[in-house]
Amino acid sequence: MTVKTVGLDLAKDVFQVHGISENGRIIFNKAIKRAKLLRFFETLPPCRVGMEACGSSHHWGRQLRKLGHDVKLMPAGYVKPYVKRGKNDAVDAEAICEAVRRPTMRFVEIKTEDQQAILSIHRTRDLAVRQRTQMANMIRSLLREFGHILPIGIEAVTAFAKRHLDGDHPDMPEIANGMLGIQCYQFIGLNTRIDGYSKMIEQHALLNADARRLMRMPGIGPITASAIVATIGDAHQFRTGRDLAAWLGLTPLNKSSGGKERLGKITKKGDRYIRKLLVVSMTSRAVMAKRSPEKVDLWTAKIIADKPFRLATTAMANKAARIIWAMLTKQQEYRQPAF
């Protein structure tokens, strides 16, 4: 019997492989050490290999494709229904093998090394931004304990941190001022690193033709454009613009039944990072539209005027995702709507 489909359950050291023949008969289901995994697949004829999209899955997908196998990555949530009673590595590998054979299964495009390299900058910058927010909150809370209140905004914390490091200390105990100085030093360091990461991302966006094209769209800056290009890769993997918007979690949750259509809140089940960037970008555009209504198209002006602000910005992000899909698939420049 010849192996036609393999389900591979990824792990750190010990992987579980489940292989079946064309008619579904089990040929093997065994554990393999990490060092011996590629050697094992070299002995197999070219076959379909299913894996869950998780940590290291893109790396193994690239390696197995080099050996001639047809590798398919699937969201873990889509594999879960095929897990039988109980849960262990053997059962998971069998479920992956079953799921990858379904004709209606949705797959994840395998990322290139260059895509993952660019995304590593985005992930590092995002972590630094979150750490800076935590540090800013720590500085504010410590000052508040001694009756000192800073204005709203990260700029106010930055200005205070620079003053403190220059010797302008608030009226508080020496020990507290010492701790505050350490926090200010860390805060300024995070600011510097974030600026460096942002410049690296901007450089990538300027060197990439698709990213430059997206930056001509109102509200889309170099960070958003770079993240979209590095994450999506080939936009043809989505059949329509709505599919891309749904993949980002920007479409309403459908709870229709009995012929009655019921739409709820957005699903938020897609890529959280890009969804956040799009919503923030459209929020900036909406603020600009409120200040200068004559500079935006009629649809944007109308939805901002008729809908609650957050609902309007989410709808704008949904539409932006569809426009982005059209620009990437058709290789066309952004055109301002005529109405």
Side-chain angles (χ1 to χ4, degrees), residues 43-323:
T43 63
L44 297 180
C47 57
R48 170 171 287 196
V49 181
M51 295 185 291
E52 291 180 334
C54 58
S56 77
S57 61
H58 293 277
H59 163 74
W60 289 112
R62 292 191 296 266
Q63 295 298 316
L64 296 181
R65 277 188 174 178
K66 291 179 182 178
L67 299 178
H69 298 291
D70 179 22
V71 184
K72 300 291 185 182
L73 303 186
M74 300 166 289
Y78 292 170
V79 178
K80 181 68 175 177
Y82 297 95
V83 176
K84 295 185 176 67
R85 180 179 300 176
K87 185 188 184 304
N88 53 46
D89 292 345
V91 172
D92 288 345
E94 182 182 0
I96 294 170
C97 191
E98 180 66 26
V100 76
R101 301 172 65 200
R102 298 303 94 200
T104 58
M105 178 56 65
R106 297 176 181 175
F107 300 107
V108 177
E109 192 73 17
I110 296 178
K111 290 181 174 61
T112 65
E113 289 184 344
D114 290 338
Q115 284 179 273
Q116 290 192 291
I118 297 300
L119 287 175
S120 68
I121 307 176
H122 284 273
R123 298 293 180 261
T124 306
R125 180 185 179 277
D126 187 49
L127 174 62
V129 170
R130 285 186 278 117
Q131 290 176 336
R132 182 180 65 178
T133 302
Q134 294 173 349
M135 191 58 63
N137 290 337
M138 185 67 183
I139 293 173
R140 288 179 181 278
S141 62
L142 180 56
L143 286 170
R144 193 178 295 117
E145 292 297 327
F146 295 95
H148 302 285
I149 307 298
L150 289 181
I152 296 175
I154 204 74
E155 295 81 6
V157 182
T158 303
F160 169 80
K162 291 179 179 179
R163 291 198 306 270
H164 192 280
L165 293 179
D166 289 338
D168 184 10
H169 297 171
D171 182 18
M172 52 196 301
E174 184 178 352
I175 294 178
N177 256 321
M179 294 298 101
L180 192 59
I182 296 174
Q183 295 167 17
C184 290
Y185 180 80
Q186 293 178 346
F187 180 85
I188 295 298
L190 287 169
N191 255 342
T192 304
R193 289 199 290 273
I194 291 170
D195 291 340
Y197 300 143
S198 299
K199 290 179 180 177
M200 293 172 66
I201 294 172
E202 184 175 355
Q203 184 179 11
H204 165 258
L206 293 175
L207 294 175
N208 187 280
D210 285 335
R212 291 198 304 270
R213 185 178 295 108
L214 293 181
M215 283 193 291
R216 298 187 185 101
M217 179 178 172
I220 302 298
I223 294 178
T224 305
S226 172
I228 290 172
V229 171
T231 304
I232 295 176
D234 185 9
H236 288 91
Q237 61 178 301
F238 301 101
R239 186 173 54 87
T240 64
R242 188 191 183 282
D243 288 349
L244 174 58
W247 181 71
L248 294 174
L250 289 168
T251 53
L253 186 63
N254 199 323
K255 298 181 179 180
S256 303
S257 179
K260 294 183 179 180
E261 189 174 277
R262 298 182 180 88
L263 299 179
K265 302 178 181 179
I266 60 171
T267 62
K268 294 186 180 181
K269 291 186 177 180
D271 190 293
R272 179 182 298 179
Y273 181 64
I274 296 183
R275 183 173 64 249
K276 177 185 69 175
L277 290 177
L278 280 177
V279 172
V280 170
S281 299
M282 293 303 109
T283 300
S284 176
R285 188 181 178 192
V287 172
M288 185 272 292
K290 280 193 169 185
R291 294 174 180 172
S292 306
E294 69 281 357
K295 294 183 180 180
V296 297
D297 58 276
L298 184 61
W299 181 87
T300 302
K302 187 175 186 304
I303 196 169
I304 292 175
D306 295 346
K307 302 293 183 180
F309 186 78
R310 185 51 63 197
L311 190 152
T313 56
T314 304
M316 291 167 63
N318 186 322
K319 187 172 183 177
R322 299 174 188 234
I323 295 174

Side-chain angles (χ1 to χ4, degrees), residues 10-40:
L10 299 176
K12 294 180 180 178
D13 298 314
V14 181
F15 299 78
Q16 189 77 23
V17 290
H18 181 93
I20 61 175
S21 63
E22 189 172 6
N23 60 8
R25 185 171 180 179
I26 299 176
I27 300 178
F28 56 77
N29 191 342
K30 59 182 179 179
I32 298 179
K33 289 284 188 178
R34 177 189 179 90
K36 299 180 179 179
L37 186 66
L38 290 180
R39 195 182 316 159
F40 171 78

